[in-house]
Amino acid sequence: MSWESSGRRPRRLLDDPAAMRAFAHPVRLALHESLLRAGTLTAADAAREVGVSQALASYHLRQLAKYGFVEQAEAKDERERPWKVTESTQEWDEGTRPDQVAARGLLEQVIVERALARLVEWRQRRADEPAAWKGAGGVSNTYLYATPEEFAQLTESVEALLKPLRARVDDPSARPGT
């Protein structure tokens, strides 16, 4: 399943600095990520995944819903209230208004900090990973010199490589090991 076949597109956040600021909260990003992995979760299950109280998870899920990042999923019974993500990918551009620039800076800072923390965690547990994973990932030190056009082409090429892997987010049955 691809974005084209599913009809789903990345969510554009440029025109909504309030949504960018709302999404930039570390707990909200963690909840969103948990929902992406699981498909649907109740606030109680999401709270356990993220390591926060159920009340705090409920509050942040409602804030994510307010800005359209998550929504209520179909419940199996009347007691549970599961949540699901609305879009698996968000995009934003360099805005020109000060509020856009500030919101983008905040969101990117939080995302970079989360990515770096995950890399550090992986480095710490790398020795415990199966041999195939030990050799598949790593850190290197490479310098590149590129024109803006060349860098744009590199980005486009990487996006093309990632596209079928990203489709697995929306289609859990296509994930390895499922």
Side-chain angles (χ1 to χ4, degrees), residues 1 3 11 35-36 38 48-49 70 80 110 142-143 169:
M1 175 185 293
W3 286 325
R11 171 138 180 236
L35 288 170
L36 283 172
R48 281 189 289 279
E49 285 273 327
V70 302
E80 74 173 18
V110 173
T142 302
Y143 294 90
V169 172

Side-chain angles (χ1 to χ4, degrees), residues 45-64:
D45 293 334
R48 281 189 289 279
E49 285 273 327
V50 174
V52 297
S53 71
Q54 182 176 343
L56 189 60
S58 292
Y59 169 77
H60 285 298
L61 286 166
R62 287 191 307 274
Q63 289 300 304
L64 287 168

Side-chain angles (χ1 to χ4, degrees), residues 22-65 69-71 81-88 90 110 114 118 169:
F23 197 53
H25 193 286
V27 172
R28 293 178 193 154
L29 283 170
L31 288 166
H32 192 268
E33 186 178 308
S34 293
L35 288 170
L36 283 172
R37 277 195 311 272
T40 63
L41 289 171
T42 64
D45 293 334
R48 281 189 289 279
E49 285 273 327
V50 174
V52 297
S53 71
Q54 182 176 343
L56 189 60
S58 292
Y59 169 77
H60 285 298
L61 286 166
R62 287 191 307 274
Q63 289 300 304
L64 287 168
F69 295 105
V70 302
E71 64 189 8
R81 294 186 55 189
W83 294 89
K84 66 180 182 177
V85 299
T86 55
E87 299 299 333
S88 57
Q90 296 74 39
V110 173
R114 285 180 51 77
R118 283 194 299 264
V169 172

Side-chain angles (χ1 to χ4, degrees), residues 100-176:
Q100 292 171 322
V101 173
R104 177 186 180 178
L106 175 63
L107 179 56
E108 289 180 346
Q109 178 69 32
V110 173
I111 288 173
V112 166
E113 289 170 356
R114 285 180 51 77
L116 184 56
R118 283 194 299 264
L119 178 61
V120 168
E121 290 167 7
W122 177 80
R123 288 282 306 130
Q124 291 171 344
R125 69 173 191 277
R126 184 177 184 182
D128 299 328
E129 294 292 328
W133 280 111
K134 286 180 191 177
V139 176
S140 67
N141 186 26
T142 302
Y143 294 90
L144 302 173
Y145 291 93
T147 65
E149 295 79 17
E150 290 169 330
F151 196 77
Q153 179 60 45
L154 175 63
T155 300
E156 189 176 306
S157 297
V158 170
E159 290 295 324
L161 290 170
L162 292 175
K163 191 174 187 176
L165 303 175
R166 285 185 178 150
R168 295 174 181 172
V169 172
D170 293 327
D171 183 5
S173 67
R175 296 176 187 174

